[in-house]
Amino acid sequence: MTIAIIDYGMGNLRSVEKGFEHAGVADIAVTGDAAVVAAADGIVLPGVGAFRDASAHLRESGLRDVLLERVAAGVPFLGICLGMQLLADVGLEDGEWEGLGIVPGVCERLEAGVKIPHIGWNTVAYWTESRLFAGVPEDTAFYFVHSYHLRPSDGSWVIGSTHYGVDFAAAVGRGRVFAVQFHPEKSSAAGLRILANFGDIVKEGISQ
């Protein structure tokens, strides 16, 4: 089993890799090589930074096409922070930029009137049961660092929400596509459990 953590120049890769290691998930490959991503059994898209730059790098490197092909083929996928926001159709950060279009909706700035960026621990309420949160009680706190968020146009994508000024999607999921706005690799034991759960989902995909 190999899980590819996509390196597209948007930071925090080593902390995500270490998070999986601490969660007991082996065979992690941090890579910017589209061929490695194409052969992986699971894909993780982490990241911090600007939507525009991330979208451009994915497109110019060829990683966008292989990522979309693998997700369409049913390969388990986990987006983290910016990696969740990029699933939108468009990002509205300093303009309008094309997203991956996996989750219908937009990536927009957090509600006016709250301190931005949103930094710190906040609880997540579950909208529906999800394998990603198996063994993690509802209203567990996770660590957030962001100024923008994904707003799905189809609410059935939302599996967890957080309140910060307003309720926003803290996690989405459908089939084998999952994404979280918080940082599981920085969220103590509960975050590591989520990474371990994703590892289990990847293993099950191989055995089927």
Side-chain angles (χ1 to χ4, degrees):
M1 179 184 83
T2 300
I3 296 177
I5 298 176
I6 296 182
D7 180 358
Y8 60 115
M10 302 307 289
N12 86 318
L13 299 171
R14 179 56 184 152
S15 62
V16 175
E17 181 183 25
K18 287 177 65 176
F20 274 105
E21 290 173 356
H22 290 318
V25 181
D27 298 318
I28 302 297
V30 177
T31 181
D33 187 335
V36 175
V37 176
D41 302 300
I43 299 171
V44 178
L45 185 66
V48 292
F51 189 106
R52 174 191 60 194
D53 297 341
S55 178
H57 190 106
L58 286 172
R59 183 174 58 253
E60 293 163 3
S61 65
L63 289 166
R64 174 191 172 92
D65 289 342
V66 71
L67 171 59
L68 291 175
E69 289 169 3
R70 298 302 285 156
V71 169
V75 173
F77 171 90
L78 176 64
I80 297 173
C81 195
L82 179 59
M84 171 172 167
Q85 297 170 12
L86 286 164
L87 299 183
D89 293 316
V90 296
L92 304 179
E93 182 179 359
D94 298 324
E96 185 172 315
W97 312 101
E98 182 184 18
L100 293 169
I102 293 173
V103 179
V106 300
C107 174
E108 62 186 15
R109 192 168 172 85
L110 286 166
E111 188 78 3
V114 297
K115 185 177 180 181
I116 295 176
H118 170 208
I119 301 176
W121 295 82
N122 282 82
T123 59
V124 173
Y126 298 160
W127 283 32
T128 186
E129 185 176 350
S130 172
R131 290 282 315 284
L132 193 66
F133 287 103
V136 181
E138 186 171 20
D139 295 325
T140 293
F142 296 92
Y143 188 75
F144 291 80
V145 183
H146 64 119
S147 300
Y148 288 77
H149 68 102
L150 170 62
R151 180 167 62 83
S153 57
D154 178 356
S156 68
W157 269 96
V158 181
I159 59 176
S161 68
T162 289
H163 186 82
Y164 186 70
V166 296
D167 291 328
F168 67 88
V172 294
R174 178 175 294 178
R176 290 177 179 168
V177 174
F178 304 92
V180 293
Q181 181 57 62
F182 54 84
H183 287 272
E185 77 280 5
K186 298 179 180 178
S187 296
S188 192
L192 296 185
R193 179 60 187 266
I194 284 178
L195 297 181
N197 287 343
F198 181 71
D200 289 341
I201 292 167
V202 174
K203 289 178 185 175
E204 290 181 5
I206 296 171
S207 64
Q208 290 180 355

